[in-house]
Amino acid sequence: MHILISNDDGVRAPGIAALARAMLPFGKVTVVAPSENQSATGHRKTMHKPLRIDEVQFPVEGVRAYATSDSPSDSVAVALLGFVEEPVDLVVSGINRGPNMGQDLTYSGTVSAAFEAVIWHKPAMAFSLDNFADDADYSAAAAVAQQLVGMEIYRRLPPLTLFNVNVPNLPLDQIKGFKVVRQGLREYNDELIRRTDPYGRPYYWIGGAAPTGDTTQEGTDLWALHEGYVSITPIHLDLTNHSLLLDMQRWGLTKATPGETRDLPVSEAEHPAAKRNGS
């Protein structure tokens, strides 16, 4: 096999080295990742400035590694568009410093690298560890990644789908097992911090405490990780709310004329989520 590895913590992050080392038993491993930390950059594509790619020394023998000047999705795109000449069989992203659960997936550069892979019709898996510390131990997460890749579950992925995997911050022998789960509900504790630069001009910083979330809903990624399980969630790039499509057929939208003013019959009875969402 030929496995392409990327991440959003940067090509020199310890998590990507642990993942590359874990993938070596399966064949050739190539790393293409951002030169600097690109956490929470989302699925960003660079279109209006040049991308630079430099080969870098990598701490895993037998692995060639390249640093790109921009986002994780750029890294995967340039690799699959021809910078890496040998065909790639699997794209693996991570191991991310900190979990990627719930709405985190819309922000995560690590998951976005896997998104980019499935856009180019390559199977992909994203791995994250529930530990934000600089000195986090990635050995258990690397062993989990090696086990899941060895089980070849990626070969069963339908089009435009990836596996998002979160590993609890526990020794391998204390992890309870695997749970196949849906996305949970994150709660963000962001704060807008206003400061003044040396020239008297205001600047702003989005800070605050780490995100939390509902760990009580059984069957979600937040619940599984909280209970000491590895969470595995299939993520599909079709973002359509298919159940809402059926409701919308009853709203009369297709009978309205553009420019016409009319009330739409949206009620809690027709769409219970309207009340929950405050609409």
Side-chain angles (χ1 to χ4, degrees):
M1 289 181 63
H2 183 199
I3 299 175
L4 174 68
I5 296 180
S6 193
N7 74 347
D8 71 1
D9 291 325
V11 72
R12 295 174 178 83
I16 200 170
L19 185 58
R21 193 174 293 110
M23 295 298 104
L24 272 176
F26 303 112
K28 181 177 180 180
V29 174
T30 303
V31 170
V32 184
S35 59
E36 306 292 340
N37 190 312
Q38 295 279 341
S39 296
T41 55
H43 197 176
R44 190 179 74 220
K45 177 174 282 188
T46 300
M47 300 289 289
H48 305 294
K49 63 179 180 180
L51 286 166
R52 308 293 182 184
I53 307 175
D54 297 301
E55 187 166 6
V56 296
Q57 289 188 330
F58 198 69
V60 181
E61 186 176 353
V63 175
R64 297 191 73 172
Y66 302 88
T68 62
S69 58
D70 221 288
S71 71
S73 50
D74 286 329
S75 300
V76 172
V78 297
L80 298 181
L81 287 171
F83 177 77
V84 174
E85 296 180 356
E86 183 177 340
V88 170
D89 300 298
L90 172 66
V91 177
V92 184
S93 187
I95 300 167
N96 192 69
R97 184 169 68 93
N100 280 305
M101 303 180 292
Q103 305 96 294
D104 295 344
L105 274 60
T106 63
Y107 296 108
S108 170
T110 290
V111 176
S112 292
F115 281 157
E116 190 68 21
V118 300
I119 285 174
W120 296 104
H121 309 293
K122 298 294 182 181
M125 304 175 72
F127 291 93
S128 303
L129 173 65
D130 187 21
N131 189 337
F132 288 101
D134 291 334
D135 60 350
D137 181 358
Y138 291 89
S139 59
V144 166
Q146 186 178 81
Q147 180 179 0
L148 290 176
V149 171
M151 294 168 67
E152 299 188 341
I153 62 173
Y154 61 88
R155 296 190 184 276
R156 303 186 181 189
L157 280 166
L160 294 180
T161 305
L162 61 93
F163 286 130
N164 183 48
V165 181
N166 287 280
V167 182
N169 185 37
L170 295 169
L172 189 62
D173 60 0
Q174 294 182 27
I175 296 176
K176 295 180 180 179
F178 299 96
K179 291 290 185 182
V180 177
V181 291
R182 66 187 186 277
Q183 286 177 261
L185 183 62
R186 271 295 205 196
E187 294 291 338
Y188 293 99
N189 304 297
D190 296 347
E191 296 178 5
L192 185 62
I193 301 170
R194 185 184 188 276
R195 292 177 178 164
T196 304
D197 70 16
Y199 300 97
R201 296 174 299 189
Y203 69 91
Y204 301 89
W205 196 287
I206 298 177
T212 54
D214 186 352
T215 60
T216 65
Q217 290 190 30
E218 186 171 346
T220 67
D221 47 13
L222 278 85
W223 167 82
L225 210 62
H226 182 263
E227 294 297 319
Y229 292 94
V230 174
S231 71
I232 306 174
T233 305
I235 303 298
H236 193 246
L237 277 179
D238 179 1
L239 303 182
T240 308
N241 186 330
H242 290 276
S243 62
L244 185 58
L245 280 176
L246 299 176
D247 285 336
M248 291 177 69
Q249 297 300 325
R250 297 193 291 269
W251 293 0
L253 282 170
T254 57
K255 298 178 181 179
T257 301
E260 176 187 5
T261 301
R262 62 184 294 175
D263 293 328
L264 297 178
V266 183
S267 68
E268 185 186 353
E270 288 189 74
H271 186 44
K275 184 176 181 179
R276 294 199 303 272
N277 292 336
S279 56

